[in-house]
Coordinates of all heavy atoms in Angstrom, one line a residue:
N13 N 104.7 109.8 104.5 CA 104.4 108.6 105.2 C 103.1 108.7 106.0 O 102.8 109.7 106.6 CB 105.5 108.3 106.3 CG 106.6 107.4 105.7 OD1 106.4 106.5 104.9 ND2 107.8 107.6 106.2
C14 N 102.4 107.6 106.0 CA 101.2 107.5 106.9 C 101.8 107.2 108.3 O 102.8 106.6 108.5 CB 100.3 106.3 106.5 SG 99.5 106.6 104.9
Y15 N 101.1 107.7 109.3 CA 101.5 107.5 110.7 C 100.3 106.9 111.5 O 99.2 107.3 111.4 CB 101.9 108.9 111.4 CG 103.2 109.3 111.1 CD1 103.5 110.0 109.9 CD2 104.3 109.0 111.9 CE1 104.8 110.4 109.6 CE2 105.6 109.4 111.6 CZ 105.9 110.1 110.4 OH 107.1 110.5 110.1
L16 N 100.7 106.0 112.4 CA 99.8 105.5 113.4 C 100.3 105.9 114.8 O 101.4 105.8 115.1 CB 99.8 103.9 113.4 CG 99.0 103.2 114.4 CD1 97.5 103.5 114.1 CD2 99.3 101.8 114.5
F17 N 99.3 106.4 115.5 CA 99.6 106.9 116.9 C 98.9 105.9 117.8 O 97.8 105.5 117.7 CB 99.0 108.3 117.1 CG 99.7 109.3 116.2 CD1 99.3 109.5 114.9 CD2 100.6 110.2 116.7 CE1 99.9 110.4 114.1 CE2 101.2 111.1 116.0 CZ 100.9 111.3 114.6
T18 N 99.7 105.5 118.9 CA 99.2 104.6 119.9 C 99.5 105.2 121.2 O 100.3 106.2 121.3 CB 99.8 103.2 119.8 OG1 101.2 103.3 120.2 CG2 99.6 102.6 118.5
P19 N 99.0 104.7 122.3 CA 99.4 105.2 123.7 C 100.9 105.2 123.9 O 101.5 105.9 124.7 CB 98.7 104.3 124.7 CG 97.5 103.9 123.9 CD 98.0 103.7 122.5
K20 N 101.6 104.4 123.1 CA 103.1 104.2 123.3 C 103.9 105.2 122.4 O 105.1 105.3 122.5 CB 103.5 102.8 123.0 CG 103.0 101.8 123.9 CD 103.4 100.4 123.5 CE 102.8 99.4 124.5 NZ 103.2 98.0 124.1
G21 N 103.2 106.0 121.6 CA 103.8 106.9 120.7 C 103.4 106.8 119.2 O 102.4 106.1 118.9
S22 N 104.1 107.4 118.3 CA 103.8 107.4 116.9 C 104.8 106.6 116.1 O 106.0 106.5 116.6 CB 103.6 108.8 116.4 OG 104.8 109.4 116.4
R23 N 104.4 106.1 115.0 CA 105.4 105.4 114.1 C 105.0 105.6 112.7 O 103.8 105.5 112.3 CB 105.5 103.9 114.5 CG 104.3 103.1 114.3 CD 104.6 101.7 114.7 NE 103.3 101.0 114.8 CZ 103.0 99.9 114.1 NH1 104.0 99.3 113.3 NH2 101.9 99.3 114.2
P24 N 106.0 105.8 111.8 CA 105.7 105.9 110.4 C 105.4 104.5 109.9 O 106.0 103.5 110.3 CB 106.9 106.4 109.8 CG 108.0 106.1 110.7 CD 107.4 106.1 112.1
L25 N 104.5 104.4 108.9 CA 104.1 103.1 108.3 C 104.8 102.7 107.0 O 104.5 101.7 106.4 CB 102.6 103.0 108.2 CG 101.8 103.2 109.5 CD1 100.3 103.2 109.2 CD2 102.2 102.2 110.5
N26 N 105.7 103.6 106.6 CA 106.4 103.4 105.3 C 105.5 103.2 104.2 O 105.7 102.3 103.3 CB 107.5 102.3 105.4 CG 108.5 102.6 106.4 OD1 109.0 103.8 106.5 ND2 109.0 101.6 107.2
Q27 N 104.4 103.9 104.2 CA 103.4 103.8 103.1 C 103.1 105.2 102.6 O 102.6 106.1 103.4 CB 102.1 103.2 103.6 CG 101.0 103.3 102.5 CD 100.2 102.0 102.4 OE1 100.4 101.1 103.2 NE2 99.4 102.0 101.4
L28 N 103.4 105.5 101.4 CA 103.1 106.8 100.8 C 101.8 106.7 100.0 O 101.7 105.8 99.2 CB 104.2 107.3 99.9 CG 105.6 107.4 100.5 CD1 106.6 107.8 99.5 CD2 105.6 108.4 101.7
L29 N 100.9 107.7 100.2 CA 99.7 107.7 99.4 C 99.7 109.0 98.5 O 100.1 110.0 99.0 CB 98.5 107.6 100.2 CG 98.3 106.4 101.1 CD1 97.1 106.6 102.1 CD2 98.1 105.2 100.3
T30 N 99.2 108.8 97.3 CA 99.0 110.0 96.5 C 97.7 110.7 96.8 O 96.9 110.2 97.5 CB 98.9 109.6 95.0 OG1 97.7 108.8 94.8 CG2 100.2 108.8 94.5
S31 N 97.6 112.0 96.3 CA 96.4 112.7 96.5 C 95.2 111.9 96.0 O 94.1 111.9 96.7 CB 96.4 114.1 95.8 OG 97.4 114.9 96.3
E32 N 95.3 111.3 94.9 CA 94.2 110.5 94.3 C 93.8 109.4 95.2 O 92.6 109.1 95.3 CB 94.6 110.0 92.9 CG 94.7 111.1 91.9 CD 96.1 111.9 92.0 OE1 97.0 111.4 92.6 OE2 96.1 113.0 91.5
E33 N 94.8 108.7 95.8 CA 94.4 107.6 96.7 C 93.7 108.0 97.9 O 92.7 107.4 98.4 CB 95.7 106.8 97.1 CG 96.3 106.1 95.9 CD 97.7 105.5 96.2 OE1 98.6 106.2 96.7 OE2 97.9 104.3 95.9
I34 N 94.2 109.1 98.5 CA 93.5 109.7 99.7 C 92.1 110.2 99.3 O 91.2 110.0 100.1 CB 94.4 110.8 100.3 CG1 95.7 110.2 100.8 CG2 93.6 111.5 101.5 CD1 96.7 111.2 101.3
L35 N 92.0 110.9 98.2 CA 90.7 111.3 97.8 C 89.7 110.2 97.6 O 88.5 110.3 98.0 CB 90.8 112.1 96.4 CG 91.3 113.5 96.5 CD1 91.6 114.1 95.2 CD2 90.4 114.4 97.3
A36 N 90.2 109.1 97.1 CA 89.3 107.9 96.9 C 88.8 107.4 98.3 O 87.6 107.0 98.4 CB 90.0 106.8 96.2
I37 N 89.6 107.4 99.3 CA 89.2 107.0 100.6 C 88.2 108.0 101.2 O 87.2 107.6 101.7 CB 90.4 106.9 101.6 CG1 91.4 105.8 101.2 CG2 90.0 106.7 103.0 CD1 92.7 105.8 101.8
V38 N 88.4 109.3 101.0 CA 87.5 110.3 101.5 C 86.2 110.2 100.8 O 85.1 110.2 101.5 CB 88.1 111.7 101.4 CG1 87.0 112.8 101.7 CG2 89.3 111.9 102.2
E39 N 86.2 110.0 99.5 CA 85.0 110.0 98.7 C 84.1 108.8 99.1 O 82.9 108.9 99.0 CB 85.2 110.1 97.2 CG 85.7 111.5 96.9 CD 86.1 111.7 95.4 OE1 86.1 110.7 94.7 OE2 86.5 112.8 95.1
E40 N 84.7 107.7 99.5 CA 83.9 106.5 99.9 C 83.2 106.7 101.2 O 82.2 106.0 101.5 CB 84.7 105.2 99.8 CG 85.6 105.0 100.9 CD 86.4 103.7 100.8 OE1 86.4 103.1 99.7 OE2 87.0 103.3 101.8
I41 N 83.6 107.6 102.1 CA 83.0 107.8 103.4 C 82.4 109.1 103.6 O 81.7 109.3 104.6 CB 84.1 107.5 104.5 CG1 85.2 108.5 104.5 CG2 84.5 106.1 104.4 CD1 86.1 108.5 105.6
L42 N 82.6 110.1 102.7 CA 82.1 111.4 102.9 C 80.6 111.5 103.0 O 79.9 111.0 102.0 CB 82.6 112.3 101.8 CG 82.4 113.8 101.9 CD1 83.2 114.4 103.1 CD2 82.8 114.5 100.6
P43 N 80.0 112.0 104.0 CA 78.5 112.1 104.1 C 77.9 113.0 103.0 O 78.6 114.0 102.6 CB 78.3 112.7 105.5 CG 79.5 112.6 106.2 CD 80.6 112.5 105.2
E44 N 76.8 112.6 102.5 CA 76.1 113.4 101.4 C 76.0 114.8 101.8 O 76.1 115.7 100.9 CB 74.7 112.8 101.2 CG 74.7 111.6 100.2 CD 75.3 111.9 98.9 OE1 75.0 112.9 98.3 OE2 76.0 111.0 98.4
T45 N 75.7 115.1 103.0 CA 75.5 116.5 103.4 C 76.8 117.4 103.3 O 76.7 118.6 103.3 CB 75.0 116.6 104.9 OG1 76.0 115.9 105.7 CG2 73.7 116.0 105.1
L46 N 77.9 116.8 103.2 CA 79.2 117.5 103.1 C 79.8 117.5 101.7 O 80.7 118.2 101.4 CB 80.2 116.9 104.1 CG 80.0 117.1 105.5 CD1 81.0 116.5 106.4 CD2 79.8 118.6 105.9
R47 N 79.2 116.8 100.8 CA 79.7 116.7 99.4 C 79.9 118.0 98.7 O 80.9 118.3 98.1 CB 78.9 115.7 98.5 CG 79.1 114.3 99.1 CD 78.8 113.3 98.0 NE 79.0 111.9 98.5 CZ 80.2 111.3 98.6 NH1 81.2 111.8 98.0 NH2 80.3 110.1 99.1
E48 N 78.9 118.9 98.9 CA 79.0 120.2 98.2 C 80.0 121.1 98.9 O 80.5 122.1 98.2 CB 77.6 120.9 98.1 CG 77.1 121.3 99.5 CD 75.7 121.9 99.4 OE1 74.9 121.5 98.6 OE2 75.5 122.9 100.2
K49 N 80.4 120.8 100.1 CA 81.4 121.7 100.8 C 82.8 121.1 100.6 O 83.8 121.8 101.0 CB 81.1 121.7 102.3 CG 79.7 122.4 102.5 CD 79.5 122.6 104.0 CE 78.2 123.1 104.4 NZ 77.5 124.0 103.6

């Protein structure tokens, strides 16, 4: 589950993401200077 944390606490969002989905998010924002790392 994805989690959102607020000043009132945390809550699961009932959304499961695969490794591929998370990788796609990371790859769209990853700075060029970190791509090789």
Side-chain angles (χ1 to χ4, degrees):
N13 268 326
C14 293
Y15 278 83
L16 177 68
F17 296 79
T18 68
K20 296 179 183 178
S22 66
R23 64 181 168 123
L25 301 176
N26 296 322
Q27 171 138 11
L28 303 176
L29 297 175
T30 65
S31 294
E32 292 78 20
E33 291 170 314
I34 296 173
L35 282 170
I37 294 167
V38 172
E39 288 176 359
E40 76 180 16
I41 62 169
L42 191 64
E44 277 300 318
T45 57
L46 292 178
R47 291 206 179 270
E48 68 183 38
K49 298 185 183 329

